[in-house]
């Protein structure tokens, strides 16, 4: 069994090192090493990572990587790629990396190579997408499909929405894409208000095909479609497809399994945007664009699997998160893409990071004695600058930032891109180096105002820099964060691939649903707060 994390000599060494470095200023670290901005960088698959503006020295990285080695990181990376059942609490392999492996690869699960199946589904998706995109797939009344509505939630929504937005530039513009996730009927109503049912295809995306939000929305969609196309049940086959691992439930819902695109229990919901769950993405960008995205994922996978820890992008980013979470007591990380197309990337990352690493017990079921999952959040630049950056610059909390920027815009207009990039560079510079009282005074500021205008600096950030947004770059970025999350979980000894924490609320909601009926007569047996709120709702509804 792995030693308790905080009891390891590697942890102790980091803790001692933290005591010596915690007050060191980035200003001083840069002043004493003119090469720092070149040396604390690394590049992989066209993604350049500058991590020099972190509160680290070369010794910090050595000690962090010692910790990683002591946790058996390299072996655990290999265990994931080779299909070991590393999702212990669900007794499952974790093989999202197999989804983007080339056709001739071999990955064995329970004695069977899963790659041929992966490519069979990709081929079926491609053939379907070609027919829809080309207008040959006809709806019930003979019209071609012009609207694609994905119904799903969590991993069956956040990846597809994020990828659609991220790759919108490459999408087929005469198709309209909508995403319905919330069980709040407004989500359905607003997404469909201007759509012609005869031209609409619903994709019901649910790994389990039991999720109440998705099943409720799918039933409403079914009725909406029947109402709009004359009520003939045979219309369902032309207007509904399913993405799921559960063929039985798909057919019980009334969708022909011929119109189902499958995946497997070794694909976690939040790791599934490159499985059949990505059908909406493939419809938007076409099979070749989707393939490009998968190749991008695969390139990052290969980097993660084969590159020494010192040069390994996901490993470096993960160990920096461990450094801040466990030694500086940092609670959140801001992800700040300076690329409008990545506007849903922070929302996507919230599920990926927090559903994965929001755990307080180790894989062996013992309570951890250290912090785990950071809170990830963010907004695209430069909008955040006029909103929450104040707190990052001058608040009392330390918030490491991941800046993501691209050299080229997909919409080069005037000098927008220079202004955008100047802003991202200015932010990381201001955070790191701040502005001293002397500098503020030297500008002629009155004494009483000086403290308000001082920036302490020493606020850490990473800058990820790439050439231009593309399907391939998106795949690399997502894989980078997927692996970053896994490395953190290995250090913390938690299962990054289960999500038991979402179950209790689901069970309680199921119990409450019938209790909300105005004529429900059984005595309520919740706490006094919940009982009273239920009664109030019954009266008000
Ligand atoms: O929120 C819990 C969860 O199980 C997520 O992990 C998952 O992505 C989401 O619900 C949706 O699940 P499904 O794809 O089975 O509908």
């Amino acid at each position: 069994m792995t030693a308790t994390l905080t009891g390891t000599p590697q942890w102790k060494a980091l803790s001692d090192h933290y005591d010596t470095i915690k007050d060191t200023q980035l200003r001083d670290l840069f002043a004493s090493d003119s090469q720092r901005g070149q040396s604390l960088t690394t590049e992989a698959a066209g993604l350049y990572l500058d991590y020099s503006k972190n509160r680290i020295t070369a010794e910090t990285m050595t000690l962090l990587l010692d910790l990683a080695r002591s946790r058996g990181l390299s072996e655990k990376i290999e265990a994931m790629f080779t299909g070991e059942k590393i999702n212990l609490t669900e007794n499952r392999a974790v093989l999202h990396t197999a989804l983007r492996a080339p056709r001739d690869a071999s990955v064995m699960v329970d004695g069977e190579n899963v790659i041929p199946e992966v490519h069979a589904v990709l081929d079926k998706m491609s053939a379907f997408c070609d027919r829809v995109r080309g207008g040959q797939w006809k709806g019930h009344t003979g019209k071609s499909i012009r609207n694609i509505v994905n119904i799903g939630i969590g991993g069956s929504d956040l990846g597809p929405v994020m990828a659609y937005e991220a790759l919108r530039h490459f999408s087929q513009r005469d198709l309209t894409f909508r995403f319905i996730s919330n069980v709040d009927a407004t989500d359905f109503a607003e997404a469909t208000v201007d759509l012609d049912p005869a031209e609409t295809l619903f994709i019901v995306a649910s790994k389990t095909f039991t999720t109440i939000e998705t099943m409720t929305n799918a039933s409403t969609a079914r009725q909406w479609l029947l109402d709009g196309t004359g009520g003939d049940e045979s219309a369902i086959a032309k207007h509904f497809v399913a993405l799921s691992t559960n063929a039985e439930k798909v057919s019980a819902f009334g969708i022909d399994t011929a119109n189902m695109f499958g995946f497997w229990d070794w694909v976690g919901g939040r790791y599934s945007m490159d499985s059949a769950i990505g059908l909406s993405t493939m419809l938007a960008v076409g099979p070749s664009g989707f393939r490009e995205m998968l190749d991008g994922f695969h390139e990052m996978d290969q980097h993660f699997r084969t590159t020494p820890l010192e040069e390994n992008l996901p490993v470096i980013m993960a160990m920096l998160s461990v450094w801040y979470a466990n030694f500086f007591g940092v609670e959140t990380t801001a992800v700040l893409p300076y690329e409008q197309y990545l506007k849903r990337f922070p929302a996507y990352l919230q599920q990926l990071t927090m559903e994965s690493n929001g755990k307080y017990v180790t894989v062996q079921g013992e309570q951890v004695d250290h912090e785990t999952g950071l809170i990830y959040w963010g907004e695209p630049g430069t909008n955040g600058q006029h909103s929450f950056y104040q707190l990052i610059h001058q608040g009392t909390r330390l918030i490491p930032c991941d800046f993501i920027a691209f050299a080229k815009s997909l919409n080069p207009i005037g000098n927008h891109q220079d202004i955008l990039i100047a802003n991202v560079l200015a932010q990381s510079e201001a955070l790191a180096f701040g502005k001293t009282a002397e500098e503020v005074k030297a500008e002629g500021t009155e004494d009483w105002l000086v403290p308000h205008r001082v920036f302490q600096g020493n606020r850490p950030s990473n800058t990820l820099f790439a050439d231009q947004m593309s399907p391939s770059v998106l795949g690399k970025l997502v894989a980078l964060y997927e692996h970053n999350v896994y490395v953190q979980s290995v250090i913390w000894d938690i299962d990054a691939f289960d999500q038991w924490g979402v179950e209790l609320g689901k069970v309680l909601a199921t119990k409450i649903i019938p209790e909300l009926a105005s004529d429900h007569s059984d005595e309520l047996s919740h706490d006094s707060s919940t009982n009273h709120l239920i009664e109030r709702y019954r009266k008000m509804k």
Side-chain angles (χ1 to χ4, degrees):
M1 194 174 91
T2 329
T4 309
L5 178 57
T6 58
T8 60
Q10 292 80 10
W11 180 278
K12 177 83 177 60
L14 274 162
S15 183
D16 292 346
H17 175 65
Y18 168 73
D19 288 336
T20 67
I21 199 184
K22 61 178 191 283
D23 297 321
T24 304
Q25 299 293 307
L26 282 168
R27 274 182 177 245
D28 299 328
L29 291 171
F30 272 85
S32 64
D33 174 7
S34 63
Q35 296 304 303
R36 185 179 170 94
Q38 284 93 58
S39 52
L40 294 182
T41 65
T42 187
E43 189 164 6
L47 293 188
Y48 178 80
L49 170 67
D50 178 343
Y51 59 102
S52 63
K53 295 189 185 90
N54 280 289
R55 291 170 66 170
I56 54 167
T57 60
E59 190 187 354
T60 320
M61 289 314 293
T62 304
L63 294 174
L64 284 169
L65 296 178
D66 283 350
L67 179 69
R69 285 190 193 92
S70 75
R71 307 301 282 173
L73 178 60
S74 301
E75 297 73 26
K76 293 204 168 143
I77 293 174
E78 208 42 32
M80 179 176 76
F81 277 94
T82 51
E84 269 183 45
K85 297 198 170 167
I86 59 170
N87 178 356
L88 283 185
T89 70
E90 295 180 322
N91 191 30
R92 287 177 185 166
V94 174
L95 275 174
H96 41 280
T97 52
L99 298 169
R100 51 261 194 163
R103 214 174 266 278
D104 59 359
S106 166
V107 178
M108 306 298 284
V109 178
D110 295 330
E112 203 188 318
N113 179 12
V114 297
I115 301 299
E117 256 187 285
V118 167
H119 281 269
V121 174
L122 283 171
D123 291 344
K124 182 175 168 185
M125 288 165 66
S126 302
F128 174 74
C129 289
D130 283 341
R131 288 182 67 196
V132 174
R133 287 164 59 89
Q136 292 96 20
W137 180 282
K138 303 287 184 204
H140 183 60
T141 64
K143 286 184 170 179
S144 296
I145 296 299
R146 306 192 67 89
N147 314 311
I148 319 280
V149 183
N150 189 82
I151 298 177
I153 196 163
S156 300
D157 168 71
L158 290 162
V161 184
M162 182 278 289
Y164 170 66
E165 293 295 345
L167 302 178
R168 210 175 176 141
H169 181 84
F170 305 92
S171 68
Q172 185 165 320
R173 299 288 187 158
D174 63 353
L175 293 176
T176 295
F177 288 82
R178 300 274 163 85
F179 298 84
I180 299 173
S181 52
N182 199 334
V183 76
D184 183 334
T186 298
D187 205 10
F188 183 89
E190 287 295 340
T192 51
V193 68
D194 55 349
L195 303 185
D196 174 359
E199 296 181 334
T200 300
L201 175 77
F202 287 99
I203 301 175
V204 185
S206 176
K207 180 174 169 181
T208 55
F209 233 72
T210 57
T211 307
I212 191 164
E213 292 90 339
T214 302
M215 293 303 109
T216 306
N217 280 319
S219 297
T220 302
R222 194 174 191 280
Q223 197 54 52
W224 179 88
L225 193 273
L226 291 175
D227 291 348
T229 52
D232 181 351
E233 293 268 338
S234 68
I236 301 297
K238 300 278 177 33
H239 293 270
F240 277 79
V241 296
L243 318 175
S244 188
T245 56
N246 194 338
E248 214 176 294
K249 295 267 183 211
V250 167
S251 84
F253 179 84
I255 299 178
D256 187 341
T257 47
N259 293 339
M260 168 178 158
F261 301 87
F263 56 111
W264 308 271
D265 71 0
W266 41 262
V267 182
R270 54 195 175 273
Y271 296 87
S272 66
M273 59 168 276
D274 47 348
S275 70
I277 291 293
L279 188 72
S280 57
T281 314
M282 193 190 269
L283 281 164
V285 302
S288 63
F290 197 79
R291 185 75 250 171
E292 252 185 69
M293 182 182 81
L294 295 183
D295 290 346
F297 269 103
H298 182 64
E299 217 179 314
M300 184 54 71
D301 293 344
Q302 291 297 97
H303 165 77
F304 178 54
R305 188 176 183 178
T306 61
T307 308
L309 303 188
E310 293 77 6
E311 302 291 324
N312 197 309
L313 246 70
V315 173
I316 292 170
M317 288 183 72
M319 295 315 295
L320 288 169
S321 291
V322 168
W323 176 231
Y324 291 122
N326 295 132
F327 297 94
F328 283 82
V330 153
E331 296 195 326
T332 85
T333 291
V335 181
L336 307 162
Y338 279 65
E339 167 55 83
Q340 184 64 16
Y341 285 121
L342 285 178
K343 68 180 183 189
R344 293 303 303 266
F345 194 59
Y348 167 77
L349 280 188
Q350 288 187 333
Q351 188 199 15
L352 179 67
T353 58
M354 297 200 268
E355 202 172 70
S356 295
N357 284 345
K359 317 278 163 72
Y360 65 79
V361 291
T362 65
V363 275
Q364 293 82 21
E366 286 147 15
Q367 180 141 2
V368 295
D369 60 354
H370 51 81
E371 298 295 343
T372 61
L374 286 156
I375 298 159
Y376 280 74
W377 60 286
E379 280 289 320
T382 56
N383 298 11
Q385 291 175 206
H386 298 273
S387 159
F388 53 78
Y389 277 41
Q390 165 66 36
L391 186 145
I392 306 181
H393 283 287
Q394 286 189 318
T396 52
R397 295 165 202 281
L398 191 65
I399 302 180
C401 300
D402 286 352
F403 291 106
I404 303 172
F406 295 85
K408 299 187 194 98
S409 171
L410 288 164
N411 299 291
I413 304 174
N415 64 347
H416 283 246
Q417 190 67 4
D418 283 352
I419 296 174
L420 183 70
I421 297 301
N423 270 279
V424 68
L425 299 179
Q427 290 302 325
S428 66
E429 190 178 21
L431 286 169
F433 305 111
K435 196 169 182 182
T436 63
E438 290 67 40
E439 287 166 339
V440 176
K441 278 184 203 153
E443 288 172 345
T445 308
E446 289 177 50
D447 280 358
W448 68 272
L449 197 52
V450 170
H452 298 277
R453 301 191 61 171
V454 166
F455 289 69
Q456 291 172 327
N458 221 19
R459 296 173 185 234
S461 66
N462 291 316
T463 300
L464 275 166
F465 203 40
D467 184 50
Q468 192 172 38
M469 190 60 205
S470 68
S472 160
V473 169
L474 180 68
K476 291 169 191 173
L477 256 186
V478 173
L480 169 62
Y481 278 92
E482 285 177 346
H483 299 324
N484 175 348
V485 165
Y486 179 50
V487 175
Q488 294 177 28
S489 77
V490 168
I491 305 302
W492 291 326
D493 197 19
I494 55 179
D495 187 335
F497 304 106
D498 61 14
Q499 57 283 319
W500 298 107
V502 299
E503 292 306 317
L504 180 58
K506 286 186 193 171
V507 172
L508 293 180
T510 308
K511 175 172 169 8
I512 292 173
I513 292 166
E515 295 174 345
L516 297 178
S518 314
D519 59 354
H520 188 272
S521 53
D522 295 355
E523 203 183 325
L524 295 171
S525 58
H526 302 271
D527 57 278
S528 61
S529 162
T530 310
N531 283 347
H532 187 67
L533 288 166
I534 291 173
E535 280 157 6
R536 210 174 165 83
Y537 173 76
R538 280 186 194 152
K539 282 194 205 121
M540 290 170 74
K541 74 186 233 180

